Coordinates of all heavy atoms in Angstrom, one line a residue:
N475 N -133.8 199.7 84.6 CA -132.8 199.2 85.6 C -131.7 198.6 85.0 O -131.4 197.3 85.0 CB -133.4 198.2 86.6 CG -134.7 198.8 87.3 OD1 -134.5 199.3 88.5 ND2 -135.9 198.8 86.8
P476 N -130.7 199.4 84.4 CA -129.6 198.8 83.7 C -128.7 198.0 84.5 O -128.2 196.9 84.0 CB -128.9 200.1 83.2 CG -129.4 201.2 83.9 CD -130.7 200.8 84.4
W477 N -128.6 198.3 85.8 CA -127.7 197.3 86.6 C -128.2 196.0 86.8 O -127.5 195.0 86.8 CB -127.6 198.0 88.1 CG -128.9 198.1 88.7 CD1 -129.7 199.2 88.7 CD2 -129.3 197.1 89.6 NE1 -130.8 198.9 89.5 CE2 -130.6 197.7 90.1 CE3 -129.1 195.9 90.1 CZ2 -131.5 196.9 90.9 CZ3 -129.8 195.2 90.9 CH2 -131.2 195.7 91.4
L478 N -129.6 196.0 86.9 CA -130.2 194.6 86.9 C -130.1 193.8 85.6 O -129.9 192.7 85.6 CB -131.8 194.7 87.3 CG -132.5 193.5 87.4 CD1 -132.0 192.6 88.6 CD2 -134.0 193.8 87.8
L479 N -130.4 194.6 84.4 CA -130.2 194.0 83.2 C -128.8 193.3 83.1 O -128.7 192.2 82.6 CB -130.5 194.9 82.2 CG -130.2 194.5 80.8 CD1 -131.0 193.4 80.3 CD2 -130.4 195.8 79.7
D480 N -127.7 194.1 83.6 CA -126.3 193.7 83.3 C -126.1 192.5 84.2 O -125.5 191.4 83.7 CB -125.4 194.8 83.6 CG -124.0 194.4 83.5 OD1 -123.6 194.2 82.3 OD2 -123.1 194.4 84.4
E481 N -126.7 192.4 85.4 CA -126.6 191.3 86.3 C -127.2 190.1 85.8 O -126.6 189.0 85.9 CB -127.1 191.7 87.6 CG -126.8 190.7 88.9 CD -127.4 191.2 90.2 OE1 -126.8 192.2 90.6 OE2 -128.3 190.6 90.6
I482 N -128.4 190.2 85.2 CA -129.3 189.1 84.7 C -128.6 188.5 83.5 O -128.4 187.4 83.2 CB -130.6 189.7 84.4 CG1 -131.4 189.8 85.7 CG2 -131.3 188.6 83.4 CD1 -132.7 190.4 85.5
H483 N -128.1 189.5 82.6 CA -127.3 189.0 81.4 C -126.2 188.1 81.7 O -126.0 187.1 81.2 CB -126.9 190.2 80.6 CG -127.8 190.6 79.4 ND1 -127.6 191.8 78.9 CD2 -128.9 190.0 78.9 CE1 -128.7 191.8 77.9 NE2 -129.3 190.8 77.9
T484 N -125.4 188.6 82.8 CA -124.2 187.8 83.1 C -124.6 186.5 83.8 O -124.0 185.4 83.4 CB -123.3 188.7 84.2 OG1 -123.1 189.9 83.4 CG2 -122.1 188.0 84.5
S485 N -125.4 186.6 84.7 CA -125.7 185.3 85.5 C -126.5 184.3 84.6 O -126.1 183.1 84.7 CB -126.6 185.6 86.6 OG -127.8 186.1 86.3
T486 N -127.4 184.7 83.8 CA -128.3 183.7 82.9 C -127.2 183.1 81.9 O -127.3 182.0 81.7 CB -129.4 184.3 82.3 OG1 -129.0 185.3 81.5 CG2 -130.4 184.7 83.3
A487 N -126.4 183.9 81.4 CA -125.5 183.4 80.3 C -124.5 182.4 80.8 O -124.2 181.4 80.3 CB -124.7 184.6 79.6
Q488 N -124.1 182.7 82.1 CA -123.1 181.6 82.8 C -123.7 180.4 83.0 O -123.3 179.3 82.8 CB -122.4 182.3 83.9 CG -121.5 183.5 83.6 CD -120.9 184.2 84.9 OE1 -121.5 184.1 85.9 NE2 -119.8 184.9 84.7
T489 N -125.0 180.6 83.7 CA -125.7 179.4 84.2 C -126.0 178.5 82.9 O -126.0 177.2 83.1 CB -126.9 179.9 84.9 OG1 -126.6 180.6 86.0 CG2 -127.7 178.6 85.5
L490 N -126.4 179.1 81.9 CA -127.0 178.4 80.7 C -125.9 178.0 79.8 O -126.0 177.4 78.7 CB -128.0 179.2 80.0 CG -129.4 179.4 80.7 CD1 -130.2 180.3 79.9 CD2 -130.0 178.2 81.2
G491 N -124.5 178.4 80.2 CA -123.4 178.1 79.4 C -123.3 178.8 78.0 O -122.9 178.2 77.1
L492 N -123.6 180.0 78.0 CA -123.7 180.8 76.8 C -122.5 181.7 76.6 O -122.3 182.2 75.5 CB -125.0 181.6 76.7 CG -126.2 180.8 76.7 CD1 -127.4 181.7 76.8 CD2 -126.4 179.7 75.6
V493 N -121.8 181.9 77.7 CA -120.5 182.7 77.5 C -119.4 182.1 78.5 O -119.6 181.2 79.1 CB -120.8 184.2 78.2 CG1 -121.7 184.9 77.1 CG2 -121.4 184.3 79.4
D494 N -118.2 182.9 78.5 CA -117.1 182.7 79.3 C -116.7 181.1 79.1 O -116.3 180.5 80.0 CB -117.4 182.9 80.7 CG -117.6 184.3 81.1 OD1 -117.3 185.2 80.4 OD2 -118.3 184.6 82.2
Q495 N -116.7 180.8 77.8 CA -116.2 179.4 77.4 C -115.1 179.7 76.4 O -115.2 180.6 75.5 CB -117.3 178.7 76.8 CG -118.5 178.4 77.8 CD -119.5 177.6 77.0 OE1 -119.5 176.5 77.1 NE2 -120.4 178.3 76.3
E496 N -114.0 179.0 76.5 CA -113.0 179.0 75.6 C -113.4 178.3 74.2 O -112.9 178.5 73.2 CB -111.6 178.6 76.0 CG -111.2 179.5 77.3 CD -109.8 178.9 77.8 OE1 -109.4 177.9 77.3 OE2 -109.4 179.7 78.7
L497 N -114.3 177.3 74.4 CA -114.7 176.6 73.3 C -115.7 177.2 72.5 O -116.6 177.9 73.1 CB -115.5 175.2 73.9 CG -114.5 174.3 74.9 CD1 -115.4 173.2 75.4 CD2 -113.3 173.8 74.1
D498 N -115.7 176.9 71.1 CA -116.8 177.5 70.3 C -117.9 176.5 70.3 O -117.9 175.5 71.0 CB -116.3 177.9 68.9 CG -115.9 176.6 68.0 OD1 -116.3 175.4 68.5 OD2 -115.3 176.7 67.0
T499 N -119.1 176.9 69.8 CA -120.2 176.0 69.9 C -120.1 174.6 69.2 O -120.6 173.6 69.9 CB -121.5 176.7 69.1 OG1 -121.5 178.1 69.5 CG2 -122.7 176.1 69.4
A500 N -119.4 174.5 68.2 CA -119.2 173.2 67.5 C -118.4 172.3 68.5 O -118.7 171.1 68.7 CB -118.4 173.3 66.3
E501 N -117.4 172.9 69.3 CA -116.6 172.1 70.2 C -117.4 171.7 71.4 O -117.1 170.7 72.0 CB -115.3 173.0 70.6 CG -114.3 173.1 69.4 CD -113.2 174.1 69.8 OE1 -113.5 175.1 70.3 OE2 -112.0 173.7 69.5
V502 N -118.2 172.6 71.8 CA -119.2 172.4 72.9 C -120.0 171.1 72.6 O -120.2 170.2 73.4 CB -120.1 173.6 73.3 CG1 -121.2 173.2 74.2 CG2 -119.3 174.6 73.8
V503 N -120.6 171.0 71.4 CA -121.4 169.8 71.0 C -120.6 168.6 71.1 O -120.8 167.6 71.5 CB -121.8 170.1 69.5 CG1 -122.6 168.7 69.1 CG2 -123.0 171.2 69.6
E504 N -119.2 168.7 70.5 CA -118.3 167.6 70.5 C -118.0 167.1 71.8 O -118.0 165.9 72.2 CB -117.1 168.0 69.8 CG -116.2 166.8 69.5 CD -115.1 167.2 68.7 OE1 -115.0 168.2 67.9 OE2 -114.1 166.5 68.7
Q505 N -117.8 168.1 72.8 CA -117.5 167.8 74.2 C -118.6 167.1 74.8 O -118.5 166.1 75.5 CB -117.3 169.0 75.0 CG -116.7 168.7 76.5 CD -116.3 170.0 77.1 OE1 -115.5 170.8 76.6 NE2 -116.8 170.2 78.4
I506 N -119.9 167.5 74.6 CA -121.2 167.0 75.2 C -121.2 165.5 74.7 O -121.5 164.6 75.5 CB -122.5 167.6 74.8 CG1 -122.4 169.0 75.4 CG2 -123.6 166.9 75.2 CD1 -123.5 170.1 74.9
V507 N -121.1 165.3 73.5 CA -121.2 163.9 73.0 C -120.1 163.0 73.5 O -120.3 161.8 73.9 CB -121.0 164.0 71.3 CG1 -121.0 162.6 70.7 CG2 -122.3 164.7 70.7
T508 N -118.9 163.5 73.6 CA -117.8 162.7 74.3 C -118.1 162.3 75.8 O -117.9 161.2 76.2 CB -116.5 163.5 74.2 OG1 -116.3 163.8 72.9 CG2 -115.3 162.7 74.7
E509 N -118.6 163.3 76.4 CA -119.0 163.1 77.8 C -120.1 162.1 77.9 O -120.0 161.2 78.9 CB -119.4 164.4 78.5 CG -118.2 165.3 78.7 CD -118.7 166.8 79.2 OE1 -119.9 167.0 79.4 OE2 -118.0 167.6 79.6
E510 N -121.1 162.1 77.0 CA -122.2 161.2 77.1 C -121.6 159.8 76.8 O -122.0 158.7 77.5 CB -123.2 161.6 76.2 CG -124.1 162.7 76.6 CD -125.2 163.2 75.5 OE1 -125.1 162.7 74.4 OE2 -126.0 164.1 76.0
K511 N -120.7 159.6 75.8 CA -120.1 158.2 75.6 C -119.3 157.8 76.7 O -119.6 156.6 77.1 CB -119.2 158.4 74.4 CG -119.9 158.5 73.0 CD -118.9 158.6 71.9 CE -119.7 158.8 70.5 NZ -118.6 159.0 69.4
E512 N -118.5 158.6 77.4 CA -117.9 158.3 78.7 C -118.7 157.7 79.7 O -118.3 156.8 80.4 CB -117.0 159.3 79.2 CG -115.8 159.6 78.2 CD -115.0 161.0 78.6 OE1 -115.6 161.7 79.5 OE2 -114.1 161.3 78.0
L513 N -119.8 158.4 79.8 CA -120.9 158.0 80.9 C -121.4 156.6 80.6 O -121.6 155.8 81.4 CB -122.0 159.0 80.9 CG -121.7 160.3 81.9 CD1 -122.9 161.2 81.5 CD2 -121.6 159.9 83.2
V514 N -121.7 156.4 79.4 CA -122.2 155.2 78.9 C -121.3 154.0 79.2 O -121.7 152.8 79.6 CB -122.6 155.2 77.4 CG1 -123.0 153.8 76.9 CG2 -123.9 156.1 77.1
Y515 N -119.9 154.2 78.8 CA -119.0 153.2 78.8 C -118.3 152.9 80.2 O -117.5 152.1 80.5 CB -117.9 153.3 77.8 CG -118.5 153.1 76.4 CD1 -118.7 154.2 75.5 CD2 -119.1 151.8 76.0 CE1 -119.2 153.9 74.2 CE2 -119.5 151.7 74.7 CZ -119.7 152.8 73.9 OH -120.3 152.5 72.7

Side-chain angles (χ1 to χ4, degrees):
N475 295 272
W477 63 272
L478 180 60
L479 173 61
D480 186 56
E481 192 177 289
I482 284 167
H483 265 167
T484 304
S485 64
T486 58
Q488 286 176 346
T489 303
L490 298 174
L492 303 176
V493 291
D494 292 341
Q495 299 176 92
E496 294 178 4
L497 301 172
D498 66 18
T499 311
E501 289 172 320
V502 170
V503 173
E504 192 176 331
Q505 182 175 313
I506 292 167
V507 172
T508 303
E509 288 172 357
E510 286 178 349
K511 283 179 181 175
E512 287 172 356
L513 281 171
V514 169
Y515 293 113

